[in-house]
Amino acid sequence: MTENKRIFSVVGGDLRQAHLAELLADDGHTVFAYALEKHSFSDRVTKSYQMTDLTRRVDCVILPLPVYGDSDMLNTPLSLNTYAVEDLFSLFPTGQTVVAGKADHALFEKAGRSGVRLYDYLEREEFSVSNAIPSAEGAIQLAMQELPTTLHGLDVLVLGYGRIGKLLAKYLTALGCRVTVTARKYSDLAWIDANGYSVMHTRDIDGTLGVYDLIFNTIPSPVLTAPRLAELKKTCLCIDLASKPGGIDFTAAKKLGVRAIWELSIPGKVAPVTAGKIMKQTIYNIMEEWGCHA
Amino acid sequence: MTENKRIFSVVGGDLRQAHLAELLADDGHTVFAYALEKHSFSDRVTKSYQMTDLTRRVDCVILPLPVYGDSDMLNTPLSLNTYAVEDLFSLFPTGQTVVAGKADHALFEKAGRSGVRLYDYLEREEFSVSNAIPSAEGAIQLAMQELPTTLHGLDVLVLGYGRIGKLLAKYLTALGCRVTVTARKYSDLAWIDANGYSVMHTRDIDGTLGVYDLIFNTIPSPVLTAPRLAELKKTCLCIDLASKPGGIDFTAAKKLGVRAIWELSIPGKVAPVTAGKIMKQTIYNIMEEWGCHA
Amino acid sequence: MTENKRIFSVVGGDLRQAHLAELLADDGHTVFAYALEKHSFSDRVTKSYQMTDLTRRVDCVILPLPVYGDSDMLNTPLSLNTYAVEDLFSLFPTGQTVVAGKADHALFEKAGRSGVRLYDYLEREEFSVSNAIPSAEGAIQLAMQELPTTLHGLDVLVLGYGRIGKLLAKYLTALGCRVTVTARKYSDLAWIDANGYSVMHTRDIDGTLGVYDLIFNTIPSPVLTAPRLAELKKTCLCIDLASKPGGIDFTAAKKLGVRAIWELSIPGKVAPVTAGKIMKQTIYNIMEEWGCHA
Amino acid sequence: MTENKRIFSVVGGDLRQAHLAELLADDGHTVFAYALEKHSFSDRVTKSYQMTDLTRRVDCVILPLPVYGDSDMLNTPLSLNTYAVEDLFSLFPTGQTVVAGKADHALFEKAGRSGVRLYDYLEREEFSVSNAIPSAEGAIQLAMQELPTTLHGLDVLVLGYGRIGKLLAKYLTALGCRVTVTARKYSDLAWIDANGYSVMHTRDIDGTLGVYDLIFNTIPSPVLTAPRLAELKKTCLCIDLASKPGGIDFTAAKKLGVRAIWELSIPGKVAPVTAGKIMKQTIYNIMEEWGCHA
């Protein structure tokens, strides 16, 4: 990619998006930044104050993750202004390549009507895989901050063996925890065993929860219910990494005096530069597959 | 499973099958062994010399992996006799549950005609995952035996990031190798990086092969072609773990003086007890899902 | 130890000392806590408000780490009062076993004069080894907090291969860093290589420092001097874990705009419960070797 | 080292010594090989058939490990002739630097009388550390070959936490074993725990041995005595890596039907090239410290 110099418009979003603009410029591309006025960029990024400049054709317009802020407005925490996503799409020239995160059905319709080629980078498997790294690291950092003990020597339960569960189990083991992982599929159970963790079917956890010092949930459905929370040690810390509706009954946790934290969107919080780098790589992959040329 | 005592007939096969019979007996089940006369069993396994006894209904009949030996005959390396698979099926009572490895279309037809419930345990994902452990260990043992150096300190290439590639990369890194892994899917490339290995797209390996001391291939298509083999160091060892047609041009390797070994069916060779244990677990899983009852 | 119930007096110190008191009580011992009034203990620990009670003979009196606060006073951050260490020693009955951290020559003399058996637990090798765990974990937590990237993917240099260096290198590698470690002894260099890290003699680091994203120093002598700091990337973070005089020229770092942090006494800050546990185990070991009996 | 070209005489020894000669030549040095006629060298090594040529001064004469074969004769398994070590020493010019492995008191006296600077590379700590790598790898290869199971999933005991014990524990854990390590020093016990293995004091092993599938002994004194061997599972494999007198009662093992193997001098057997490389590095270190010049 780096040998082909391209033109990008980076529009809105948080620190990740700002770092993304810089990283694209580091690779030698021409980068225009919109709706990011609060961020101080290096000389290599051209700040654009006029959204109307979006009418110029570029190789790729990059909308933020998530693309929507409040209701129908663009997500622009680093801007002083607000923009309706609808209005933006009317500016793009026909055939413009646009990428965005968490595009919904309405947005794809808008794109269709405007003759825009829209791609949701959240749908790329490699994007989710790479983001599991800052998610797992951030979860571990959080546990280190919250606990008055080392992770070393703890009994830890990881609920679910998806992307984040896989990396969490690996990191925790390396840091000296005794790690048990649960899953529902026989093949996942076989992998958990192959990778050397203690293995348990998720349906079998009742009555086993009293030994853990730390529990990470990655399953987006009610797993740590009130009766299960009641089983826990008083000093046990629960960290929920599952997207909505989450997996912990926080009301019950509060009543029972169980410390439970719901931590979402970790990559942007703990490692915005890395998050920007992952977006960059994913966008490169999309452009390579789409054969994008100015 | 262990609380429900069952009756099994274990028929033919090699050491894995013999160990499987013992392991089932260890769990308290009743086990009849057929076509395994050369093996000396403990008292807990009942040797059956008459195939006609297969007419008795049991909870599960276990045929070997692979089920076929020469042409249409049952695979019976530990028997003094030979048996046509066809004849066997005519003995089973209607509705009998039978499991086998590498059952082909013809066998499923036979089963249909005989009113037999046939299941190929090779099609279970967890069976393949668990078998990747002895495969990877056996491949490492082979490399240790063949090389006049330690694995520690070697530059190693793993072609392909499927089940065996995943475990190989992990084991080799732990033993002190610098490991590069190749794949074709972006998500696999992201995982390779996430797990800390050097990553390369399989299509980009030309011109990079001269640095490796050891190469494992797991891709079942021509990867190490003559021009690529010509790139290798003289002392580089190539081990092909891919099923037919394999991935190394062995004729070219011989001509070029490159040491190349094609190693298949490792689990049964290096760890027959473990292989039997994996079969046992898989059969338990099948029976649980099928709700098998005598 | 747990079968023999003992009597302990825990005197002064910070959270570690408070947790130590609780942990001793958890093991079934009788525990009196002095000069720790600000901490709220469980029922199992007896708070003692009168230092004069120290005249009673107990199996072991535990003074804090470090034993001295300001000048000759006992280190008592969790007390409302101040006590001269000298006065304390005059209270102990002859032959009393006392342990303390960072006892100096004067304290051993005092002990001699008072007929007290004094032991400095800081001199126990196993105490230093076990404390390297919270130190290394805390250093990693600090790096995670300070960096806008993941640790994964960073080039990291660890200066020195003592206790903390060994664990840091291990943890960082597991978290996906490319780790280089320096040392001066040939045998340490051999161990660094044996454990799979990139190895460099400490004397050879000049001119190599520009590649690192993160540097941990564990060598208590000037290593990161001004000219070496000038080599670093602008984004490189330096964390000094060495005891006084440390190894980084902080004045030069400030002038050069290099981010450098000197972090000491990590165990008590990030993992006071673990720190208390390590003190407990070390005291048990001392008592076992000394054959302590009430 | 490589920039300074030196002259070496490599005399006697096995494959390690032969590979050492080639590796020195690879680095650009001039190498004469004596008493190694059975080995076929590359063109870069000059085979010398006349021991009398040893009268020429070279930078370093390298005698084998061990230097003695039968009685007072040089250890020359790759030669057709035999040589008295005494006679050799009378050939060396005064002040000649000579290195040898397992030099005894008599040899140092001989050296003194002949005005030879003799160094035993076995006394170098880094030599022992580096040799622990092939020893540990070779021990694992042996276990893989001997066991009908994978190492993955086994309960393994490592007796002793010296150099080989440290690497064994690390490798075995990475290969999926549950590893317990014993030691006697409190600081070693702390390290075993810090590194995440189950820890036990060596004195406490009685009555705990029945759970292990594989035991490695590295302690050169009677540890696995008859009563302890009687505790073992029938399928347990014992591998003794301790130098004489070893740590297993092999007579008792035979009587009890316990499989026990005493494996010594592994590096030269399983990885002669690596063993030669380690000798080379150690000799370079010696020469650097001694300031050797022709």
Side-chain angles (χ1 to χ4, degrees), chain B residues 137 145 148 150-152 174 273-274, chain D residues 137 145 148 150-152 273-274:
Chain B
E137 256 198 51
Q145 288 167 351
T150 53
L151 293 185
H152 182 273
V273 172
T274 302
Chain D
E137 258 198 48
Q145 287 167 352
T150 53
L151 292 185
H152 183 273
V273 171
T274 301

Side-chain angles (χ1 to χ4, degrees), chain A residues 97-249:
Chain A
T97 298
V98 176
V99 300
K102 277 206 185 160
D104 60 2
H105 187 65
L107 199 70
F108 278 102
E109 279 198 344
K110 233 167 267 180
R113 281 197 307 274
S114 316
V116 159
R117 301 175 80 195
L118 177 64
Y119 203 111
D120 188 342
Y121 43 80
L122 258 195
E123 284 173 19
R124 303 283 301 189
E125 173 74 4
E126 81 267 25
F127 183 79
S128 305
V129 171
S130 295
N131 267 306
I133 302 172
S135 296
E137 257 197 50
I140 278 171
Q141 177 186 330
L142 182 63
M144 285 178 170
Q145 287 168 353
E146 294 292 324
L147 289 169
T149 61
T150 54
L151 293 185
H152 181 273
L154 299 190
D155 283 290
V156 184
L157 179 67
V158 177
L159 293 161
Y161 199 59
R163 297 177 208 102
I164 297 178
K166 283 186 177 73
L167 286 176
L168 265 181
K170 184 179 143 162
Y171 290 164
L172 291 164
T173 302
L175 290 167
C177 304
R178 284 175 296 277
V179 178
T180 301
V181 186
T182 80
R184 292 189 173 278
K185 284 166 61 185
Y186 285 125
S187 55
D188 281 344
L189 298 172
W191 270 120
I192 293 166
D193 173 64
N195 282 320
Y197 316 121
S198 293
V199 57
M200 189 179 296
H201 197 293
T202 307
R203 70 174 170 229
D204 297 334
I205 63 171
D206 289 302
T208 73
L209 298 168
V211 303
Y212 298 108
D213 304 297
L214 175 60
I215 299 181
F216 292 96
N217 176 56
T218 70
I219 306 172
S221 67
V223 189
L224 289 179
T225 55
R228 285 171 173 168
L229 290 166
E231 277 191 43
L232 304 182
K233 275 191 211 173
K234 285 207 172 161
T235 54
C236 181
L237 173 67
C238 297
I239 296 180
D240 197 351
L241 304 167
S243 51
K244 286 180 191 169
I248 300 181
D249 182 338

Side-chain angles (χ1 to χ4, degrees), chain B residues 217 219-225 240 242-243 245-250 262:
Chain B
N217 176 56
I219 306 172
S221 66
V223 189
L224 288 178
T225 54
D240 198 351
S243 53
I248 300 182
D249 182 338
F250 285 93
W262 196 357

Side-chain angles (χ1 to χ4, degrees), chain D residues 183-194:
Chain D
R184 293 190 173 277
K185 283 168 61 186
Y186 285 123
S187 55
D188 282 343
L189 297 172
W191 271 120
I192 293 166
D193 174 63

